[in-house]
Amino acid sequence: MEFRKLVLSLMLAAGLVFSVVGCASDQVTRKRLEDGKLALEQNQFDKALSVSDAIINSDAERGDVAAAHYLHGRAIEQRVKADPAAAQNDLSVARTDYNRALQLGPTKKLEGYIRASLANVDYFQDMYPDALGQWSAAYELLVEPDLKAWTLYRMGLCQQRMGRFADADRTFLQVQSRFAGSEQATRAHDRQGVNGFFVQLATFNNSKDADAAVAEVKQQGFTPVRSTDARGLATLRIGPVRTYMEAMQIKQRFAAKYPYAIILP
């Protein structure tokens, strides 16, 4: 998943949020937050949830409770999912945590991380205007160049999903200009010039299987596009279509036959 890169970057940055000097009791709470962050980094999600729940249900300061809600949402968002329904439910729970964290008046630094994570949730629930708004706000608050580069790049992705292709191209140019030589700049370059969506149904090792799939798609009234990727495998796509909604409808129509179909870009 492409957004894993941003998740990992935010995880490493989270320590900056929790390492705050306060009174003795506050330092105990913040030590617990550090323990929870470490558990999150080690994929010990139950421990991270336990730590954050204890702080949320305590009389800790508002800023610490905000950080605990952020930690809780991150653990919920990153833990292993049993199925797609569970994944969607966890995204909704994480959104609730992030919104509660924002309501508690976090520091500007923490607010930037929260909004970036909230945007991540919005994106994966196809709420692209909301995701764009949150990433735009986060970009102004984040300090680390790597995080800012990923955030700006993903703003361009949102614009593409919304059909704002010219705006997306301008955003991708900004990524290349402001963060030249970065991975984000390379990806932004590769994303430029898109003006429609494809539904990639499948990739085939066997050309006969690909031929049969092409014939089947044609029988259903679509004009498939068959191509060969860098590995020499045959890919089958439908498109381009102008809107993401159209692409979603095609994907849903073929969901039974091709459950792992993806929409590009």
Side-chain angles (χ1 to χ4, degrees):
M1 183 179 294
E2 184 174 295
F3 279 68
R4 182 67 176 172
K5 183 75 173 183
L6 180 59
V7 168
L8 291 173
S9 297
L10 286 171
M11 184 188 306
L12 294 174
L16 300 174
V17 177
F18 300 149
S19 299
V20 182
V21 176
C23 67
S25 60
D26 295 337
Q27 289 177 358
V28 171
T29 298
R30 287 157 189 166
K31 174 61 168 63
R32 296 169 73 185
L33 283 169
E34 288 285 356
D35 291 342
K37 179 189 74 74
L38 180 60
L40 184 67
E41 292 174 348
Q42 296 175 344
N43 295 330
Q44 298 175 5
F45 303 118
D46 288 342
K47 182 177 179 179
L49 291 171
S50 177
V51 168
S52 55
D53 280 333
I55 297 171
I56 289 168
N57 294 318
S58 71
D59 59 353
E61 293 184 356
R62 285 169 58 90
D64 291 335
V65 177
H69 273 296
Y70 172 65
L71 173 64
H72 193 275
R74 290 286 305 282
I76 290 290
E77 186 179 355
Q78 291 178 227
R79 68 183 179 182
V80 178
K81 320 300 181 186
D83 51 51
Q88 287 300 311
N89 181 72
D90 276 1
L91 289 174
S92 296
V93 174
R95 172 182 288 108
T96 298
D97 270 310
Y98 298 145
N99 280 317
R100 286 177 178 169
L102 289 174
Q103 293 166 5
L104 290 166
T107 65
K108 289 299 182 182
K109 182 177 288 187
L110 178 55
E111 182 184 347
Y113 299 144
I114 295 169
R115 291 192 182 279
S117 292
L118 184 54
N120 191 64
V121 168
D122 289 339
Y123 186 93
F124 281 112
Q125 291 197 313
D126 297 335
M127 299 169 62
Y128 302 114
D130 291 337
L132 179 59
Q134 293 296 341
W135 266 317
S136 297
Y139 185 81
E140 300 303 322
L141 296 168
L142 294 170
V143 175
E144 299 87 347
D146 190 58
L147 293 186
K148 291 181 76 72
W150 282 119
T151 299
L152 188 60
Y153 168 68
R154 288 180 167 87
M155 288 165 60
L157 297 186
C158 285
Q159 290 166 330
Q160 281 189 334
R161 287 293 172 98
M162 294 163 65
R164 293 168 49 183
F165 299 115
D167 289 339
D169 281 349
R170 283 190 286 270
T171 299
F172 291 143
L173 281 174
Q174 289 178 351
V175 176
Q176 295 171 71
S177 174
R178 297 177 188 178
F179 306 99
S182 66
E183 178 184 349
Q184 298 92 323
T186 298
R187 293 194 183 198
H189 176 271
D190 293 342
R191 284 276 185 168
Q192 280 185 270
V194 172
N195 57 12
F197 299 94
F198 286 86
V199 180
Q200 183 167 302
L201 298 177
T203 301
F204 301 90
N205 292 311
N206 188 301
S207 61
K208 290 184 178 180
D209 291 339
D211 291 340
V214 167
E216 183 180 22
V217 170
K218 286 182 177 178
Q219 288 178 355
Q220 297 197 39
F222 293 93
T223 302
V225 177
R226 177 180 170 177
S227 59
T228 303
D229 66 15
R231 299 167 296 172
L233 303 178
T235 61
L236 178 62
R237 299 178 180 178
I238 295 174
V241 296
R242 185 65 184 172
T243 69
Y244 185 75
M245 184 59 67
E246 290 179 80
M248 280 294 296
Q249 291 171 349
I250 294 172
K251 183 175 182 289
Q252 291 167 0
R253 178 165 177 174
F254 287 91
K257 177 73 173 180
Y258 300 105
Y260 301 107
I262 59 174
I263 295 175
L264 303 171

